[in-house]
């Protein structure tokens, strides 16, 4: 069953090996975990529902708890403590577009607020609504999960917006196709959620980000139904798809999505190579991307993440032998791990591998090409979030932030971001440990994804304050270097204070006008993307 207070299925139990615990102790020092609430304790705190009866609504306390939050760090603290700032009054489970339309009209008549819920994987505060005073209905779309139509000639598949990644891919694989969209949240997140948060999959280098894959669909809004036809291209005014992409539930709720799919590849492999240092790794990645080498993914870990990843992925005896090989090849502790994917026909993969090898060697890559480590990455590509549980039980808070910027801005940013984060709690004498990788690359620039760990405090409230300080430092550093406040996680409430720096005053007023056009009573997911823009720090 899905965990009520954390990530994923409760049958998957990630554990920290003894050497991992020792490694964390070296980095963070002594830690002391907080006490978690039980589900029964959380349920006891659920207030009475304020909604009227409706056949689509579930108002039972446990259901409302299970759909009360996402996976942001403040959400995590609410779930683990069992104390929620705000709990939905009801959860709706529509199964068809018609049911969703009727629900929205009924909710408008009752003056209720509506918050769409896909997979509950938001890490940016999309789902909680601590400032909402009116009754709120969380609209769970997971029963709208079928392949509704497939245009084979045009390679357009139409799905219910609540379809989760594995179910989407299984239905496509049965007819020989794939979407190829694999965010780390793939197992739980939904197609509609990918669209409204402008998601990026791990193999977007081949398949494209969701904005390249989203061909159209149906958006149910308070003003009516917006149908967006699929077209290969159009010069007939602004693209309506762009209004929906990144709208984060503020305009309406997606009921159906049309997606551009691709025939399944004949072959796929992942390899890992080691670069002498970060600069050579960045230069190689930049050269391969700007040279349009058709790889399916590239991920470059900095030296710190490389060291941690090897220690966690490779058994101690094998790692000792691998370190001897590194030494023979002249690789020092500055080495950086670069993982890349080859996807396509066998002949294409061979040709692409030769091109990649040539560029990598030009930039100093040592001949330590490892298919084993590449396959290790494939096996664990969706398991990272599960580590939050054993780390928490060990007294460690962990979170991430990500951005994207031009290559010219990326180098100065990388030089300072980890130091800024690791010094965020220095005045309090609290250690923070951080490491970074490039996970999505473009000819123009790249994303940068940073993970950080810190010891939890003696109370939940103080732990939240520690997170707020780190989050503020990280976000201000991103903005100061000209980066986007989010490359793949969306804005939500956590990032909303920093959105005006990217969009500008006129841009923000345009977003407000767009929201008002579709949602004049401000009923849809209030506080996300727009309203929180005047706050001074993330909630």
């Amino acid at each position: 069953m899905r965990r009520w207070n954390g990530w994923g299925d409760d049958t998957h139990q990630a554990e920290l090996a003894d050497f991992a615990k020792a490694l964390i102790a070296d980095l963070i020092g002594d830690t002391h975990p907080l006490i978690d609430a039980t589900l029964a304790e959380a349920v006891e705190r659920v207030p009475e529902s304020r909604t009227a009866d409706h056949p689509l609504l579930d108002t039972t306390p446990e259901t409302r708890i299970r759909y009360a939050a996402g996976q942001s760090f403040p959400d995590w603290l609410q779930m683990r403590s069992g104390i929620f700032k705000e709990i939905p009054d009801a959860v709706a489970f529509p199964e068809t577009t018609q049911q969703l339309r009727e629900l929205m009209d009924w909710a408008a008549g009752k003056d209720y607020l509506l918050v769409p819920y896909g997979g509950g994987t938001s890490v940016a505060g999309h789902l909680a609504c601590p400032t909402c005073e009116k009754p709120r209905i969380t609209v769970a779309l997971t029963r709208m999960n079928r392949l509704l139509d497939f245009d084979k000639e045009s390679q357009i598949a139409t799905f219910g917006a609540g379809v989760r990644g594995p179910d989407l891919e299984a239905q496509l694989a049965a007819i020989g196709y794939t979407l190829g969209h694999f965010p780390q949240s793939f197992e739980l997140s939904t197609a509609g959620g990918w669209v409204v948060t402008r998601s990026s999959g791990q193999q977007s280098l081949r398949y494209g980000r969701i904005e390249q894959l989203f061909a159209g669909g149906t958006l149910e809004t308070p003003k009516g139904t917006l149908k967006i036809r699929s077209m290969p291209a159009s010069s007939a005014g602004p693209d309506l798809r762009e209004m929906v992409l990144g709208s984060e539930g503020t305009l309406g709720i997606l009921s159906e999505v049309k997606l551009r799919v691709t025939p399944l590849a004949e072959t796929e492999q992942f390899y890992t190579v080691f670069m002498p240092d970060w600069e050579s790794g960045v230069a190689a990645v930049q050269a391969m991307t700007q040279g349009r080498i058709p790889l399916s993914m590239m991920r470059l870990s900095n030296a710190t993440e490389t060291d941690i990843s090897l220690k966690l992925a490779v058994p101690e005896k094998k790692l000792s032998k691998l370190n001897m090989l590194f030494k023979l090849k002249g690789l020092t502790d500055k080495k950086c791990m670069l993982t890349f994917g080859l996807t396509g026909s066998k002949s294409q993969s061979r040709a692409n591998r030769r091109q990649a090898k040539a560029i990598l060697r030009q930039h100093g890559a040592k001949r330590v090409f490892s298919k084993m480590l590449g396959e290790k990455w494939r096996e664990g590509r969706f398991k990272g979030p599960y580590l939050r549980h054993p780390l928490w039980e060990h007294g460690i808070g962990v979170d991430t932030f990500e951005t994207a910027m031009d290559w010219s801005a990326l180098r100065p940013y990388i030089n300072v971001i980890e130091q800024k984060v690791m010094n965020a709690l220095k005045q309090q004498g609290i250690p923070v440990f951080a490491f970074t990788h490039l996970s999505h690359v473009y000819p123009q620039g790249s994303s940068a994804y940073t993970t950080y760990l810190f010891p939890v405090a003696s109370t939940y409230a103080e732990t939240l304050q520690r997170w707020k300080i780190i989050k503020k430092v990280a976000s201000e550093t991103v903005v100061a270097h000209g980066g986007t406040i989010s490359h793949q996680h969306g804005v939500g409430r956590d990032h909303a204070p920093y959105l005006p720096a990217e969009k500008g005053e006129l841009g923000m007023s345009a977003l407000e006008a767009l929201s008002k056009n579709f949602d004049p009573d401000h009923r849809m997911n209030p506080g996300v993307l727009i309203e929180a823009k005047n706050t001074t720090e993330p909630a």
Side-chain angles (χ1 to χ4, degrees):
M1 178 180 284
R2 179 80 177 265
R3 284 188 176 91
W4 74 274
N5 64 346
W7 184 270
D9 194 308
D10 59 10
T11 61
H12 185 100
Q13 298 290 343
E15 295 183 1
L16 291 180
D18 289 340
F19 73 88
K21 293 178 182 177
L23 177 63
I24 290 170
D26 287 341
L27 299 173
I28 302 295
D30 293 335
T31 56
H32 305 281
L34 288 165
I35 298 174
D36 291 339
T38 65
L39 177 57
E41 290 170 338
V43 166
E44 285 180 2
R45 299 187 180 105
V46 177
E48 291 291 324
S49 173
R50 297 170 292 171
T51 58
D53 291 336
H54 187 281
L56 289 179
L57 299 188
D58 186 335
T59 59
T60 58
E62 183 172 333
T63 299
R64 291 161 61 196
I65 280 286
R66 289 183 176 275
Y67 288 83
Q71 296 290 326
S72 71
F73 195 80
D75 289 338
W76 178 270
L77 295 182
Q78 290 186 82
M79 291 186 292
R80 304 309 288 204
S81 67
I83 302 173
F84 292 80
K85 290 183 178 179
E86 195 270 347
I87 295 172
D89 292 275
V91 183
F93 295 93
E95 297 183 13
T96 66
T97 296
Q98 182 61 31
Q99 286 183 343
L100 177 59
R101 179 71 261 164
E102 291 172 357
L103 175 69
M104 293 186 71
D105 293 340
W106 176 80
K110 296 290 186 181
D111 198 22
Y112 295 160
L113 306 178
L114 297 173
V115 175
Y117 184 105
T121 59
S122 164
V123 294
H126 287 96
L127 299 175
C129 192
T131 59
C132 293
E133 296 180 356
K134 297 178 181 179
R136 176 172 75 102
I137 298 172
T138 291
V139 184
L141 301 170
T142 48
R143 294 181 185 176
M144 302 174 68
N145 58 11
R146 297 187 305 277
L147 177 62
L148 303 173
D149 181 69
F150 180 55
D151 180 347
K152 184 175 181 179
E153 187 173 8
S154 305
Q155 296 185 350
I156 300 290
T158 304
F159 280 93
V163 63
R164 291 177 178 169
D167 296 330
L168 179 147
E169 285 294 337
Q171 291 177 76
L172 287 177
I175 54 176
Y177 287 82
T178 181
L179 180 65
H181 192 73
F182 303 111
Q184 192 174 54
S185 62
F186 169 76
E187 295 175 324
L188 305 173
S189 56
T190 63
W194 300 337
V195 171
V196 299
T197 58
R198 301 187 75 100
S199 172
S200 187
Q202 293 168 342
Q203 289 174 263
S204 60
L205 196 57
R206 172 180 171 86
Y207 297 105
R209 284 167 54 92
I210 199 65
E211 53 261 44
Q212 283 83 51
L213 302 174
F214 177 52
T218 302
L219 183 75
E220 297 297 339
T221 83
K223 290 279 287 289
T225 301
L226 176 68
K227 288 189 175 291
I228 303 174
R229 295 168 55 190
S230 63
M231 295 181 182
S234 171
S235 66
D239 190 343
L240 295 182
R241 293 176 314 129
E242 286 291 338
M243 295 193 309
V244 178
L245 285 157
S247 58
E248 301 189 8
T250 60
L251 307 183
I253 300 177
L254 268 178
S255 61
E256 297 178 6
V257 290
K258 295 181 181 293
L259 300 167
R260 299 180 176 112
V261 299
T262 304
L264 287 165
E266 181 183 2
T267 182
E268 183 168 74
Q269 302 93 31
F270 297 94
Y271 294 90
T272 295
V273 62
F274 291 89
M275 307 303 296
D277 51 40
W278 177 254
E279 285 298 324
S280 62
V282 171
V285 167
Q286 186 177 355
M288 285 190 288
T289 310
Q290 293 178 341
R292 302 300 200 274
I293 307 301
L295 305 178
S296 62
M297 58 80 63
M298 281 190 279
R299 171 175 170 147
L300 176 67
S301 298
N302 70 359
T304 305
E305 184 174 276
T306 296
D307 181 57
I308 296 294
S309 298
L310 288 173
K311 287 177 178 176
L312 294 178
V314 182
E316 199 168 356
K317 289 184 179 179
K318 286 188 177 180
L319 183 58
S320 179
K321 292 180 181 179
L322 188 58
N323 284 330
M324 290 177 63
L325 179 59
F326 288 147
K327 190 173 182 180
L328 288 171
K329 296 292 183 181
L331 291 167
T332 68
D333 57 4
K334 292 183 179 180
K335 64 184 178 296
C336 292
M337 185 166 62
L338 171 59
T339 299
F340 64 93
L342 297 165
T343 306
S345 69
K346 291 180 179 178
S347 60
Q348 286 174 333
S349 294
R350 284 194 295 268
N352 296 341
R353 187 168 185 259
R354 284 195 297 270
Q355 292 182 76
K357 269 190 170 183
I359 291 177
L360 288 166
R361 286 172 180 164
Q362 287 173 12
H363 290 85
K366 304 301 178 180
R367 296 187 64 181
V368 188
F369 282 73
S370 174
K371 191 173 181 180
M372 181 272 288
L373 288 174
E375 290 303 311
K376 274 279 189 183
W377 175 84
R378 185 213 293 263
E379 291 171 12
R381 64 193 298 187
F382 308 128
K383 295 179 181 177
Y386 284 99
L387 287 173
R388 205 176 204 183
H389 292 267
L391 287 167
W392 177 259
E393 291 167 354
H394 200 61
I396 298 291
V398 58
D399 200 15
T400 64
F401 61 91
E402 37 79 28
T403 182
M405 56 188 68
D406 295 346
W407 288 114
S408 56
L410 184 70
R411 286 182 173 85
Y413 168 79
I414 291 295
N415 289 339
V416 303
I417 184 58
E418 288 183 7
Q419 202 62 38
K420 291 271 190 181
V421 168
M422 289 192 289
N423 288 335
L425 302 177
K426 188 176 181 180
Q427 289 186 344
Q428 302 176 41
I430 301 167
V432 181
F433 182 69
F435 46 89
T436 301
H437 65 259
L438 308 185
S439 57
H440 301 82
V441 293
Y442 309 88
Q444 179 182 345
S446 176
S447 71
Y449 193 105
T450 300
T451 301
Y452 60 91
L453 294 80
F454 63 98
V456 303
S458 57
T459 67
Y460 278 92
E462 188 181 346
T463 300
L464 178 60
Q465 289 305 313
R466 290 183 181 183
W467 174 84
K468 283 185 174 182
I469 292 170
I470 300 171
K471 185 71 172 179
K472 187 172 187 290
V473 167
S475 299
E476 288 177 349
T477 304
V478 165
V479 169
H481 285 79
T484 177
I485 196 59
S486 178
H487 167 265
Q488 65 210 60
H489 290 157
V491 177
R493 291 175 177 81
D494 294 349
H495 297 148
Y498 308 100
L499 188 62
E502 181 173 334
K503 303 299 183 186
E505 184 177 349
L506 187 59
M508 290 303 299
S509 67
L511 293 180
E512 291 169 1
L514 184 64
S515 176
K516 186 175 181 180
N517 178 70
F518 287 99
D519 181 23
D521 298 324
H522 207 57
R523 194 175 310 287
M524 303 304 306
N525 214 7
V528 167
L529 194 64
I530 297 170
E531 273 203 341
K533 68 186 179 67
N534 292 322
T535 61
T536 57
E537 64 178 15

